[in-house]
Amino acid sequence: MVLDMVKQMLSESFPDENISPSIDERNIVTLRGECSDWNTLIQIGHKAAAVEGVRNVVSEMTAKGVTIPRRDYEPFRESGEKIGVIRKADVVIIGAGISGCGVARELSRYPLNIVVVERGNDVASGASRANNGCIHHGQECKSGTLKTRLNVEGNRGYRRWEKELHLNVLDCGALQIIQEESQMPELKKRYETALRNDVEGAKILTPEETRELEPGLAKTNVPIYAALWLPTQRQIEPYETCVALAENATVNGVEFLFGCEVGDVLTEDGKTTGIVTSQGIIQAPYVINAAGVYADDIAKMAGDQFYTIHGRKGTIVIMDKAKKPSYPRLVSQLTPEYHKGKNVESKGGGMHPTPHMNLLLGPSAMEVPDKEDNSTTKKDLDYTMTCNQDPNITSADTIRIFAGVRPADFKEDFIVEMSEITEGFIHVAAIQSPGLASAPAIAKRVVRIVTDDYRKKGKNLIPKADFVAERKAGVCFHKLSHEEQDKLIKKDPRYGNIICRCEQISEGEILDAMRSPVPPRSVDAIKHRTRAGMGRCQGGFCQIKVIELLAREFGTEWTDIHLRGEDSPILLEKNRKEAEKGR
């Protein structure tokens, strides 16, 4: 019956496409055939997933003229099997993004041996690094989905994380403004969605109330008919959050393995027994799949791929914080331009202040066949600039452009559940936006899955009495008073040596980061912990000094220090070899 409806949809909506669908006993639809282009492939997947009764869609489709890159996991499997067993754990988590780090930290409350494996050289190496840091309010998510429920619950959960982990959060709220009476039905619809989604504090404001709440609107003469106020919108630095979670998890006994590629998931009699990695085999009865854009590949290894992850690239522009935003709150003017060019499956980005008061524009939303396509294009850049509604900011204020790929499935919902096929294998997949906002709730849900499963097996997991909930933030030298700075410099003169002029980051702060529970070993890792290199010159002044500090602290050559990972060298070789020989 469901398969017949899928076939009918294909014949009616895509009569010129030769696509063959099949369905299994769980109502998982698999699509095969060649599409005319990539966007059509994506549309077919979404249409099939929307058919009533379809649980999810696995795409084995191709597109004319499009190469869909596939990862070769065999070398990692062969390497791991050759090395043999290196760890025995209770839980192994694949991926150290916001979901993986959040789950690790919350599970570390219990007496479990936990290992996190990450293919990058640091936490937040994928989508968690390349986003706009929104702790979304939840109004813009589709009502009734798991994504919406976890978004709203996660938004509230950040209050606890902020307090325990000393996170840097901008409590800005969000204003959605209309300028004409004709737009009032849209605003009311948004308000009703906020109420339905249980978003706290949602309220429609008059023009006077709006300008009182955000005085910058009066200064820029923005026409206002009414506005929707969503006070639970907040902004955070995503990589700083991942670092805080990972450091606290490490203090509580979690082990992180970086540069660790997964080659296979081990199963026996329908149960998970561990994973094979490039660094060896890790035995564990629970495997948590938080692998981002490659979660579908990992699920396939475990014998339970019931979804396909398709990459959705987002480009973001960072503006110089020397140019102060006109609106410290998150302001969106719902003009026709606001909706122009937006991906219908995406919230569409906007104009976002960061906790450090840089303005971010974007992200865009472009479906891409390559899950590692972090390139930036003129088209995406042009779109991000349309997000700018601040007359005080221009393209001349741009200091950085970057892109990341979000892991979306065709149902456009989160997948957080124990596998129905492989016992002990837990899916944490399709965690695209608002995945950052949902992280506390995702972690809580996974903890419940694990503890409930232990209980079913007659074992009650009791939280550890010695769990360390608090993670103290490091020194932020430029925020100290002159008296406090002088006192700190007398104690350790290295705090008086400014390495990054733009962000006023000292040698002492960088050394503190290097000696943290999860030490950074690349230039970008230092940047993500201390902001050295985040300013106007983007490391033009301080990068070489950071390389020197990393080499000195870890006892390596300058040529061994990379920008991000092993494939991003900065210095290739010494260029004065002969001169050195004569010394």
Side-chain angles (χ1 to χ4, degrees):
M1 181 69 174
V2 176
L3 181 59
D4 290 338
M5 290 192 289
V6 173
K7 289 180 177 179
Q8 182 179 352
M9 178 278 296
L10 289 170
S11 65
E12 292 176 354
S13 300
F14 305 95
D16 298 327
E17 304 292 337
N18 186 22
I19 301 302
S20 174
S22 61
I23 195 166
D24 67 9
E25 64 279 0
R26 293 192 292 167
N27 282 348
I28 308 301
V29 170
T30 299
L31 300 171
R32 299 178 178 87
E34 185 180 61
C35 301
S36 55
D37 56 69
W38 181 253
N39 284 333
T40 299
L41 183 152
I42 298 299
Q43 291 170 18
I44 290 173
H46 280 131
K47 282 270 193 179
V51 171
E52 186 177 356
V54 172
R55 180 175 175 188
N56 217 314
V57 170
V58 174
S59 173
E60 295 184 5
M61 297 181 288
T62 59
K64 290 180 181 178
V66 176
T67 299
I68 305 174
R70 308 289 185 189
R71 297 203 76 212
D72 181 10
Y73 295 95
E74 190 63 19
F76 312 135
R77 187 187 64 78
E78 290 178 353
S79 175
E81 288 181 344
K82 185 176 181 180
I83 295 169
V85 177
I86 59 169
R87 302 282 192 287
K88 290 186 178 181
D90 298 307
V91 179
V92 60
I93 301 169
I94 303 173
I98 189 66
S99 295
C101 289
V103 169
R105 192 265 177 166
E106 294 303 318
L107 273 178
S108 70
R109 295 175 180 273
Y110 297 86
L112 295 169
N113 186 334
I114 303 167
V115 178
V116 180
V117 298
E118 166 57 47
R119 61 187 292 255
N121 83 321
D122 196 16
V123 301
S125 294
S128 296
R129 172 187 59 84
N131 66 69
N132 57 13
C134 283
I135 305 179
H136 290 283
H137 38 69
Q139 178 272 325
E140 293 180 318
C141 288
K142 184 179 179 181
S143 300
T145 61
L146 178 64
K147 181 188 292 186
T148 297
R149 188 162 73 250
L150 296 182
N151 180 175
V152 175
E153 182 185 335
N155 179 291
R156 295 167 185 162
Y158 265 102
R159 298 289 178 180
R160 175 171 61 84
W161 276 10
E162 178 186 4
K163 181 179 179 181
E164 292 177 345
L165 302 173
H166 295 270
L167 301 177
N168 188 10
V169 180
L170 176 64
D171 222 340
C172 58
L175 276 169
Q176 298 179 359
I177 298 169
I178 60 171
Q179 300 178 353
E180 300 175 0
E181 184 179 3
S182 61
Q183 295 176 293
M184 199 64 193
E186 178 186 354
L187 198 71
K188 286 183 177 178
K189 185 178 179 180
R190 287 169 174 262
Y191 172 65
E192 290 164 0
T193 301
L195 296 182
R196 190 162 53 248
N197 290 356
D198 197 26
V199 176
E200 295 176 343
K203 182 181 179 182
I204 292 181
L205 305 181
T206 65
E208 294 74 24
E209 291 172 324
T210 304
R211 291 190 182 96
E212 182 180 357
L213 188 63
E214 180 45 81
L217 291 166
K219 296 178 182 178
T220 53
N221 296 315
V222 172
I224 301 171
Y225 182 82
L228 175 59
W229 171 232
L230 300 160
T232 57
Q233 174 75 31
R234 309 170 82 209
Q235 298 293 127
I236 203 164
E237 297 291 2
Y239 33 80
E240 291 178 7
T241 305
C242 286
V243 168
L245 288 164
E247 287 182 352
N248 187 244
T250 301
V251 167
N252 285 293
V254 175
E255 182 180 10
F256 283 78
L257 299 179
F258 295 108
C260 191
E261 296 269 11
V262 175
D264 201 4
V265 176
L266 300 175
T267 63
E268 186 176 332
D269 298 326
K271 298 180 180 180
T272 301
T273 59
I275 62 173
V276 183
T277 78
S278 56
Q279 296 181 17
I281 296 171
I282 304 173
Q283 296 177 338
Y286 292 95
V287 172
I288 298 173
N289 176 18
V293 292
Y294 292 111
D296 51 350
D297 288 357
I298 302 299
K300 187 175 183 179
M301 294 176 189
D304 188 25
Q305 185 193 358
F306 63 91
Y307 50 87
T308 287
I309 300 297
H310 54 97
R312 182 174 295 144
K313 183 170 68 172
T315 298
I316 295 176
V317 172
I318 306 178
M319 298 301 181
D320 188 355
K321 69 179 180 182
K323 205 67 168 293
K324 301 297 182 185
S326 298
Y327 321 118
R329 301 192 184 281
L330 196 156
V331 173
S332 301
Q333 301 171 47
L334 305 182
T335 61
E337 289 74 20
Y338 178 84
H339 302 281
K340 188 177 180 181
K342 289 194 174 185
N343 185 314
V344 295
E345 303 294 345
S346 171
K347 295 187 299 303
M351 185 175 65
H352 306 88
T354 72
H356 297 283
M357 295 315 291
N358 294 87
L359 190 67
L360 301 186
L361 301 179
S364 57
M366 178 68 68
E367 303 290 350
V368 291
D370 185 351
K371 294 179 178 181
E372 297 189 27
D373 180 5
N374 292 321
S375 63
T376 54
T377 66
K378 184 179 185 302
K379 182 179 179 180
D380 285 334
L381 178 59
D382 289 345
Y383 171 79
T384 61
M385 294 310 299
T386 67
C387 297
N388 181 28
Q389 297 179 335
D390 188 336
N392 192 42
I393 303 294
T394 70
S395 58
D397 300 309
T398 300
I399 62 172
R400 183 83 172 187
I401 305 166
F402 65 93
V405 181
R406 305 165 225 171
D409 76 337
F410 288 112
K411 270 292 186 182
E412 296 293 334
D413 201 359
F414 292 166
I415 302 170
V416 186
E417 60 188 65
M418 176 77 81
S419 170
E420 298 173 346
I421 303 296
T422 307
E423 184 180 330
F425 186 82
I426 300 170
H427 300 274
V428 184
I431 310 298
Q432 53 165 316
S433 179
L436 182 71
S438 307
I442 291 171
K444 183 178 178 181
R445 185 178 175 91
V446 173
V447 167
R448 188 163 58 246
I449 290 170
V450 173
T451 54
D452 284 352
D453 197 63
Y454 262 83
R455 198 172 297 113
K456 288 177 185 176
K457 296 172 180 175
K459 306 174 186 177
N460 282 335
L461 279 177
I462 307 299
K464 297 185 295 192
D466 61 348
F467 174 75
V468 180
E470 185 178 14
R471 173 260 187 188
K472 293 184 178 179
V475 171
C476 188
F477 185 78
H478 74 274
K479 289 186 177 181
L480 301 177
S481 67
H482 290 317
E483 291 76 14
E484 290 171 325
Q485 289 177 343
D486 289 343
K487 184 177 180 181
L488 190 59
I489 291 171
K490 286 181 181 178
K491 184 178 179 181
D492 187 342
R494 289 173 294 189
Y495 286 102
N497 180 21
I498 299 300
I499 300 298
C500 174
R501 291 180 177 179
C502 298
E503 295 290 322
Q504 292 292 290
I505 308 301
S506 68
E507 178 183 354
E509 292 167 272
I510 293 173
L511 292 177
D512 286 345
M514 290 185 194
R515 297 163 185 174
S516 67
V518 185
R521 293 187 176 273
S522 69
V523 170
D524 270 9
I526 289 291
K527 178 172 72 174
H528 292 158
R529 283 160 176 75
T530 67
R531 291 189 62 80
M534 283 280 192
R536 177 76 187 182
C537 82
Q538 288 290 293
F541 175 79
C542 66
Q543 186 179 94
I544 196 68
K545 294 178 178 291
V546 171
I547 292 172
E548 180 182 13
L549 289 175
L550 281 165
R552 187 186 74 195
E553 183 71 10
F554 295 126
T556 64
E557 295 292 330
W558 287 29
T559 49
D560 294 329
I561 305 301
H562 293 170
L563 180 66
R564 187 169 298 137
E566 293 298 319
D567 58 348
S568 59
I570 300 171
L571 303 173
L572 299 179
E573 61 181 22
K574 294 180 179 180
N575 62 359
R576 295 189 178 181
K577 297 176 182 177
E578 295 303 320
E580 287 184 359
K581 288 180 181 179
R583 286 180 182 175

